[in-house]
Amino acid sequence: MSDKNSLEKLRKEKTLWEETKLRKILEKHPERFEKFYTNSNIEVEPVYTELNVQDLDYLNDLGFPGEYPYTRGVQPNMYRGKLWTMRQYAGFGTAEESNQRYKFLLSQGQSGLSVAFDLPTQIGYDSDHPLSRGEVGKVGVAIDSLKDMEILFDGIPLDKVSTSMTINAPASVLLSMYIAVAEKQGVAPDKLSGTIQNDILKEYVARGTYIFPPSPSMRLITNIFEFCSKNMPKWNTISISGYHIREAGATAVQEVAFTLADGIAYVEAAINAGLSVDEFAPRLSFFFNAHNDLLEEVAKFRAARRLWAKIMKERFYAKDPRSMMLRFHTQTGGSTLTAQQPDNNIIRVTIQALAAVLGGTQSLHTNSRDEALALPSEDSVRIALRTQQIIAYESGVTETVDPLAGSYYIEYLTNTIEQKAREYIDKIDKLGGAVKAIEKGFMQQEIQDSAYRYQMEIESGRRIVVGVNKFQIEEEPPKGLLKVDPEVGRTQEIKLKELKSSRDNLAVREALKELHSQAKTDANLMPVILKCVKCYCTLGEICDTLRKVFGEYKASITI
Amino acid sequence: MDTIEAVLNGNKRSIAKLITLIEEKSHDAKEILKKIYTHTGKARIIGITGAPGSGKSSLVDKLAKILRSKNKKIGIIAVDPTSPFTGGAILGDRIRMQDLALDEGVFIRSMGTRGALGGLSKACYDAAKVLDASGMDYILIETVGVGQSEIDIAKLADIVLLVMVPGMGDDVQAIKAGIMEIGDIFVINKSDKDGADRLVTEIETALGLCFEKKELKPPVIKTIATEGYGIEELVETIDVLWEYLTKKDYLKIKRTNRIRQEIIGLLTESVLNNIMTTYSEKIEFLVEKAVKRQIDPYSAAEIIIKEKSL
Amino acid sequence: MEDTKKIRVLIAKPGLDGHDRGAKVIARALRDSGMEVIYTGLRQTPEQIVETAIQEDVNVIGLSILSGAHNFLLPKVIQLLKEKNAEDILVISGGVIPEEDILGLKEAGIAEVFTPGTPTSEIIDFIKTHVK
């Protein structure tokens, strides 16, 4: 950026400063720690200057917003045009209760829906399955069949809202249900906008709600890519997720590296299935976490954007600029919330949400203060949403694009995170790609090492968590936590019984038979799953049929 | 004694408690082991060894399931290394076998190597005896194949399955390490990976060299344990080999050697213990002298031996 | 290390949630404090947990659960242990468990409930004091 002479002068001045001013103060007052690190263990110097980013080339490395390599953002004017989508993840109990919560959120100014499913639904079990005992409706809404889905979106016009669904292993089934509900509302698939998470690889790595082994799972995913590229042009077919990887203990670098490595695996799978890259890549979306280290997080988002753009252009020869744009949803970090002094979590969430906005997120979920204790209450959800609204309307950070660009520290961190993430991706390539690396437990092991180190740092006091290992107080147990009605399980079981006695069981049997035989071929399974859903096969019946053909995934231990 | 009867009847709690006593080297355990010994010798002891990540646990899981379908009772011992620094261990092989947890005819026990310096502990031998006496038809012992434990499993088991995976450099490693001799059956797991056939050929060639003079060359079986592929064939191969080993008296020779080794081992331990306690001061004195180069270690040992035999 | 008595702990995740970060951090910390940890991972039913605990003859069962199904699954484990005459096994648990549920779980027989933020050293100490 600058010429050699002025850099040389700067270097000399900096050395002088270090040896006089800085040393003098250090002799008098030693620093709090011998060395300083970001939240993700990148060493931090006392001050950053142009010397730290001397190779930075504005046009090549940053560029203008909306232009390759998209470091500064995917749209030319970012939030000056349209704010991010405020999308609170919600769902619990029965479809009726969740439907009420969605209507509440929409009435409070939320701009998109985000559906949380309960664990049996996520793992493809009906509510009456033995493993579902105690789980029905707990962490999300219970969906057993199209009947529940009809209730869930009752009175919500699906051509007007965009809906994000956190569903992975059985994503094809839930997407089919959504299409079927829309059809009943008179909305065609090509009018639907939203996202399914559909990211199985991070389930093996970090989140644990998998069903089938990697290879049939990857097939289901590419089936969806293909189906949507033809029928649902506005639908995000996958949300490649670093969120859960980070929650499992990964560092910011690992979050970027492993997420993009998974992304590479999906792109390769789709290309191998015969799709051309620009056919599906514009509909890929990402999902990241936002933790407390504000500046590191901002740099992380920028680094991820730049790295993905380069990968798509240089590795996959994408031509469509949209294929190179990393668009992402952000959720604030659940694992950073503390059960102690839960109101402190409001401040944590604020910092994290600010990081996401300064990092150029396309949509945002802010966690509620009570989520280390239970599902969020309505009051807590409102504060969380208000946090976003205050950042959007009062903080001023939205008025210009990528306001932290050019900060020596931010650009240094952006470079460092990109470089370290690239090193990981190279290593994963050497192991044979993300799927192989996961089967070998490589990512899992790296994440667990980070998680363990983090925990030990807290226990040694090197890392302070306010209210947990410092500034503790005696506390009364919190009040007003949300309780899920324990009867939900029973209600769902009754509904299932009624459904099974009222539907056309012959059609159900036929449809499942067809699914079974098609699963054995290499046909695209979306049409037949849609058929099953429409004649009210249950989620469990569909997934069991596929289990018979595909088998089930068993995790290996990595500790 | 109640415990003895309960163990012989296959009571799982009693079996489990007895194995704990064995691991703690309790005197009671020794007394019980003496009493149940006449009931041992019926089970077929199969050792499964191979490098970390070769899929041993999945293989054991699938083997057990097939054997269960033939109504055989299965005891499984899964051995993992104990940390030499902390003495702790993570025993995680079971994770792949949890489908079997509720099967009445299966007993699974995870064991750390504890003091055995990378090999199999004496406790593992004795735990196998307990499972044998409790009426198990097969005892599957899974060990990580690193160094000493492979040698140990060859001594303990009637049949050893050496598990290898294509593309892990296993073939070269095994041939280099000279462990080809310990495998009675070679299992090429994850055989859908590239290079499976090449690995089979390489092993067969290497075996051809090792076993030139023997009449039965160890069979090489391809499996994909996670999908259950090749497991039926593996079980059949084990049975055929078993017939052969019995008919040819090879099994008897193997077991005789094992029992001889065990008795010699116990003798060594007990004589050594005896010397160590009786002559501890004298030994220390000689050590000091040897450190100062006033006596050599050979002569030092001879002095103790002489005193002992006086 | 001499082969004296070793504390054996079963770490399992009952229920369907896949958040095993805490379980694995604990497993590792217990190992580093010299215990033998049997780790059985995700989606374990109460029946599997109890049978495993018996066959492995553990002193302690540590259950990590974040799915909200604790009020059903944890008492079930205790009940099965009683049926098998194995109630001498210490059962502890951790995860997202609201304060108001903790009393009930303790009454049901859970020895201690460790909520988020508990140092692993506290859990290690608890185990060492309570295992005879």
Side-chain angles (χ1 to χ4, degrees):
Chain A
M1 282 166 99
S2 304
D3 61 73
K4 277 200 174 127
N5 287 342
S6 70
L7 275 177
E8 209 35 60
K9 189 167 172 236
L10 182 58
R11 192 182 324 262
K12 271 191 201 141
E13 289 292 326
K14 192 182 171 209
T15 316
L16 186 68
W17 171 82
E18 280 168 347
E19 285 168 2
T20 53
K21 276 269 163 53
L22 184 63
R23 176 177 293 175
K24 223 155 103 195
I25 196 93
L26 291 184
E27 277 162 7
K28 253 179 141 173
H29 310 286
E31 291 183 327
R32 287 178 291 122
F33 301 106
E34 199 182 313
K35 285 183 170 183
F36 289 77
Y37 298 94
T38 65
N39 225 321
S40 294
N41 278 3
I42 296 171
E43 194 174 339
V44 182
E45 295 176 20
V47 70
Y48 285 81
T49 66
E50 207 175 335
L51 291 169
N52 300 91
V53 291
Q54 47 183 292
D55 295 328
L56 194 77
D57 173 341
Y58 181 85
L59 290 177
N60 267 325
D61 297 328
L62 303 182
F64 284 98
E67 283 181 3
Y68 186 85
Y70 304 102
T71 315
R72 304 203 61 183
V74 292
Q75 287 116 15
N77 61 343
M78 288 301 289
Y79 308 130
R80 289 166 66 102
K82 183 172 159 280
L83 291 167
W84 63 90
T85 305
M86 299 179 191
R87 197 194 289 282
Q88 297 296 97
Y89 182 53
F92 60 89
T94 59
E96 286 86 351
E97 287 170 282
S98 296
N99 177 265
Q100 288 307 308
R101 176 67 71 95
Y102 296 156
K103 287 177 174 162
F104 163 79
L105 285 166
L106 291 171
S107 76
Q108 293 294 307
Q110 173 164 305
S111 34
L113 293 179
S114 176
V115 183
F117 296 100
D118 72 356
L119 287 161
T121 306
Q122 294 185 47
I123 306 176
Y125 295 127
D126 284 339
S127 299
D128 58 359
H129 190 281
L131 278 171
S132 304
R133 287 176 301 178
E135 307 275 9
V136 178
K138 282 283 157 58
V139 303
V141 59
I143 301 292
D144 289 321
S145 74
L146 180 57
K147 271 259 148 59
D148 295 321
M149 204 72 160
E150 288 163 2
I151 298 164
L152 187 67
F153 293 106
D154 181 49
I156 300 171
L158 297 188
D159 52 346
K160 299 273 171 14
V161 296
S162 83
T163 303
S164 168
M165 290 189 273
T166 299
I167 194 75
N168 294 279
S172 52
V173 185
L174 275 301
L175 176 60
S176 296
M177 288 183 184
Y178 193 76
I179 296 169
V181 172
E183 208 168 87
K184 294 200 169 186
Q185 285 188 5
V187 180
D190 62 349
K191 297 284 177 312
L192 294 174
S193 72
T195 309
I196 39 171
Q197 199 162 74
N198 200 23
D199 172 12
I200 199 66
L201 292 177
K202 64 92 177 49
E203 296 295 333
Y204 303 131
V205 176
R207 191 165 171 268
T209 58
Y210 41 72
I211 306 176
F212 314 114
S215 126
S217 297
M218 294 299 273
R219 171 203 175 172
L220 284 171
I221 290 167
T222 45
N223 284 174
I224 292 173
F225 285 3
E226 192 191 3
F227 178 87
C228 291
S229 77
K230 295 195 177 107
N231 304 294
M232 304 175 80
K234 290 160 69 184
W235 194 265
N236 294 317
T237 51
I238 192 168
S239 173
I240 306 163
S241 306
Y243 181 82
H244 318 89
I245 289 173
R246 188 70 180 277
E247 286 301 285
T251 62
V253 168
Q254 288 166 341
E255 181 188 357
V256 172
F258 299 162
T259 309
L260 299 198
D262 287 351
I264 290 169
Y266 293 124
V267 172
E268 282 173 349
I271 290 174
N272 289 340
L275 299 177
S276 80
V277 65
D278 288 324
E279 225 177 302
F280 65 88
R283 294 323 304 176
L284 302 178
S285 64
F286 288 81
F287 174 19
F288 289 112
N289 209 314
H291 274 205
N292 285 329
D293 192 328
L294 178 68
L295 299 175
E296 180 180 52
E297 293 297 297
V298 174
K300 175 188 81 181
F301 297 122
R302 302 173 83 242
R305 241 183 338 253
R306 184 160 74 202
L307 185 50
W308 184 248
K310 289 184 193 166
I311 289 168
M312 291 310 289
K313 187 175 181 177
E314 293 162 11
R315 182 170 179 155
F316 295 112
Y317 307 111
K319 298 271 180 306
D320 187 341
R322 291 176 309 150
S323 299
M324 304 173 212
M325 289 179 196
L326 180 144
R327 296 170 299 120
F328 66 99
H329 171 70
T330 308
Q331 180 170 340
T332 57
S335 63
T336 67
L337 302 182
T338 63
Q340 297 80 358
Q341 306 175 41
D343 284 349
N344 294 348
N345 292 326
I346 298 174
I347 293 90
R348 293 191 178 96
V349 169
T350 307
I351 295 170
Q352 295 162 4
L354 187 59
V357 171
L358 290 169
T361 195
Q362 276 59 61
S363 61
L364 179 60
H365 165 105
T366 33
N367 285 328
S368 300
R369 60 183 162 173
D370 45 5
E371 285 185 69
L373 303 158
L375 284 177
S377 67
E378 214 160 79
D379 276 351
S380 303
V381 174
R382 185 185 290 112
I383 296 174
L385 181 59
R386 295 289 180 257
T387 306
Q388 293 198 39
Q389 290 161 337
I390 290 169
I391 292 173
Y393 298 104
E394 298 183 21
S395 75
V397 297
T398 51
E399 320 300 71
T400 187
V401 179
D402 189 25
L404 294 183
S407 143
Y408 302 124
Y409 183 46
I410 284 285
E411 296 301 351
Y412 168 80
L413 281 177
T414 305
N415 289 347
T416 307
I417 292 171
E418 183 191 352
Q419 182 208 328
K420 284 174 181 271
R422 198 179 264 283
E423 283 163 16
Y424 260 124
I425 291 172
D426 289 345
K427 206 182 260 179
I428 290 166
D429 283 338
K430 286 212 181 78
L431 290 170
V435 177
K436 291 266 159 59
I438 290 165
E439 284 174 343
K440 289 193 169 90
F442 170 73
M443 297 189 203
Q444 296 92 313
Q445 189 69 55
E446 290 291 308
I447 295 169
Q448 278 147 35
D449 288 348
S450 298
Y452 195 62
R453 189 172 57 228
Y454 185 91
Q455 179 65 26
M456 292 305 125
E457 283 168 6
I458 292 175
E459 295 193 13
S460 70
R462 172 61 178 87
R463 192 184 283 276
I464 300 299
V465 181
V466 173
V468 173
N469 62 351
K470 208 168 183 177
F471 314 114
Q472 298 102 315
I473 51 169
E474 283 294 316
E475 288 182 82
E476 286 288 305
K479 291 187 183 69
L481 296 178
L482 182 96
K483 272 223 137 136
V484 176
D485 183 358
E487 290 299 297
V488 177
R490 279 258 304 283
T491 317
Q492 284 300 112
E493 280 181 38
I494 293 167
K495 280 205 274 183
L496 264 171
K497 257 199 199 117
E498 282 173 5
L499 175 80
K500 286 183 182 174
S501 63
S502 64
R503 67 183 182 181
D504 179 353
N505 279 307
L506 193 66
V508 165
R509 266 201 301 279
E510 285 304 312
L512 291 174
K513 223 159 98 189
E514 198 182 328
L515 175 64
H516 188 266
S517 64
Q518 289 208 21
K520 288 181 171 168
T521 69
D522 54 8
N524 190 321
L525 293 178
M526 275 303 289
V528 64
I529 292 174
L530 191 56
K531 184 174 173 184
C532 290
V533 161
K534 282 182 181 169
C535 61
Y536 294 95
C537 297
T538 67
L539 174 69
E541 287 168 340
I542 295 171
C543 290
D544 278 346
T545 305
L546 294 175
R547 277 186 185 96
K548 276 188 208 127
V549 182
F550 296 156
E552 288 184 72
Y553 178 75
K554 273 192 189 173
S556 58
I557 186 188
T558 39
I559 290 184
Chain B
M1 251 168 105
D2 278 353
T3 314
I4 294 174
E5 210 164 296
V7 167
L8 295 179
N9 285 331
N11 178 290
K12 291 187 171 169
R13 191 107 214 266
S14 306
I15 296 171
K17 291 263 174 214
L18 178 53
I19 294 176
T20 303
L21 286 181
I22 289 170
E23 288 201 290
E24 290 170 357
K25 298 195 166 167
S26 109
H27 181 73
D28 293 349
K30 203 158 132 189
E31 292 307 309
I32 298 171
L33 283 167
K34 285 181 190 172
K35 299 215 169 73
I36 64 171
Y37 186 70
T38 50
H39 299 274
T40 62
K42 294 184 214 102
R44 301 178 177 190
I45 303 181
I46 315 290
I48 297 102
T49 190
S54 54
K56 295 179 295 295
S57 306
S58 303
L59 193 74
V60 169
D61 176 56
K62 289 288 169 12
L63 263 180
K65 279 177 185 151
I66 301 253
L67 291 168
R68 283 298 294 143
S69 71
K70 298 175 193 295
N71 215 15
K72 303 292 183 194
K73 286 203 228 158
I74 316 296
I76 297 172
I77 301 176
V79 184
D80 270 321
T82 296
S83 156
F85 306 108
T86 64
I90 301 234
L91 311 175
D93 294 326
R94 260 197 101 100
I95 198 170
R96 295 242 170 205
M97 310 174 194
Q98 280 303 81
D99 292 352
L100 298 167
L102 298 177
D103 187 328
E104 270 300 308
V106 177
F107 183 97
I108 309 175
R109 180 63 172 239
S110 314
M111 297 177 82
T113 50
R114 298 207 179 173
L117 292 176
L120 286 180
S121 60
K122 179 75 175 65
C124 185
Y125 287 66
D126 288 339
K129 281 185 208 158
V130 175
L131 293 177
D132 189 346
S134 77
M136 298 299 174
D137 299 301
Y138 285 83
I139 297 168
L140 311 178
I141 304 178
E142 180 195 337
T143 66
V144 175
V146 196
Q148 189 58 35
S149 66
E150 276 178 336
I151 312 295
D152 288 355
I153 195 72
K155 288 182 196 153
L156 165 58
D158 298 322
I159 292 178
V160 174
L161 313 185
L162 195 58
V163 188
M164 296 179 166
V165 175
M168 276 173 65
D170 275 2
D171 40 350
V172 191
Q173 281 301 323
I175 297 162
K176 263 199 216 156
I179 58 159
M180 297 299 280
E181 284 87 347
I182 66 158
D184 298 302
I185 298 175
F186 286 78
V187 181
I188 311 303
N189 194 27
K190 305 187 187 176
S191 61
D192 51 338
K193 288 193 170 194
D194 290 345
D197 290 325
R198 201 178 56 231
L199 181 56
V200 172
T201 319
E202 280 169 14
I203 289 169
E204 279 175 345
T205 314
L207 288 174
L209 295 172
C210 294
F211 289 82
E212 237 170 345
K213 292 187 187 83
K214 283 192 195 166
E215 45 194 300
L216 185 79
K217 251 197 318 186
V220 183
I221 310 285
K222 288 202 282 186
T223 59
I224 308 171
T226 49
E227 291 168 23
Y229 167 82
I231 310 295
E232 286 272 5
E233 193 192 344
L234 181 58
V235 171
E236 275 167 35
T237 309
I238 292 173
D239 286 346
V240 169
L241 186 63
W242 186 267
E243 289 297 314
Y244 173 82
L245 291 175
T246 342
K247 220 164 57 199
K248 293 277 177 182
D249 265 0
Y250 286 150
L251 184 70
K252 201 176 154 200
I253 296 169
K254 208 168 186 176
R255 288 186 167 188
T256 308
N257 280 337
R258 182 194 311 157
I259 291 162
R260 180 180 300 115
Q261 289 267 358
E262 183 176 3
I263 294 173
I264 293 172
L266 289 170
L267 272 174
T268 316
E269 195 187 323
S270 133
V271 171
L272 194 66
N273 274 345
N274 181 299
I275 293 178
M276 295 303 283
T277 40
T278 325
Y279 299 95
S280 64
E281 277 178 33
K282 181 92 187 178
I283 291 172
E284 272 314 301
F285 171 74
L286 290 166
V287 168
E288 284 296 312
K289 279 181 80 170
V291 169
K292 291 177 190 154
R293 299 292 186 273
Q294 290 163 349
I295 190 173
D296 66 279
Y298 293 102
S299 310
E302 277 165 18
I303 290 172
I304 303 285
I305 303 281
K306 262 184 207 151
E307 281 202 23
K308 169 125 180 97
S309 48
L310 283 177
Chain C
M1 283 287 293
E2 227 337 274
D3 311 48
T4 44
K5 294 197 175 191
K6 264 191 216 299
I7 296 176
R8 285 169 66 88
V9 186
L10 170 63
I11 298 287
K13 281 194 56 66
L16 297 179
D17 82 274
H19 300 100
D20 55 3
R21 173 181 180 169
K24 285 181 166 169
V25 166
I26 296 294
R28 205 155 157 168
L30 296 182
R31 176 201 55 195
D32 289 349
S33 76
M35 299 181 197
E36 283 186 346
V37 181
I38 293 96
Y39 187 81
T40 55
L42 305 181
R43 299 189 203 171
Q44 298 291 297
T45 64
E47 290 79 5
Q48 280 174 317
I49 289 165
V50 168
E51 191 55 40
T52 301
I54 287 173
Q55 292 183 16
E56 297 288 355
D57 194 29
V58 296
N59 310 92
V60 185
I61 302 176
L63 300 172
S64 161
I65 183 161
L66 288 89
S67 74
H70 48 268
N71 283 338
F72 172 76
L73 292 168
L74 299 184
K76 181 85 185 161
V77 168
I78 300 285
Q79 179 209 326
L80 290 169
L81 282 172
K82 281 186 184 146
E83 283 170 18
K84 301 247 173 188
N85 289 323
E87 63 261 53
D88 55 311
I89 300 174
L90 189 74
V91 184
I92 56 177
S93 85
V96 178
I97 297 176
E99 189 78 26
E100 57 202 63
D101 291 346
I102 291 177
L103 193 66
L105 291 173
K106 284 190 172 173
E107 275 168 9
I110 303 290
E112 191 54 86
V113 177
F114 298 100
T115 48
T118 311
T120 54
S121 55
E122 198 178 312
I123 299 168
I124 292 166
D125 288 345
F126 184 87
I127 291 175
K128 286 188 172 163
T129 354
H130 287 79
V131 171
K132 290 133 230 155

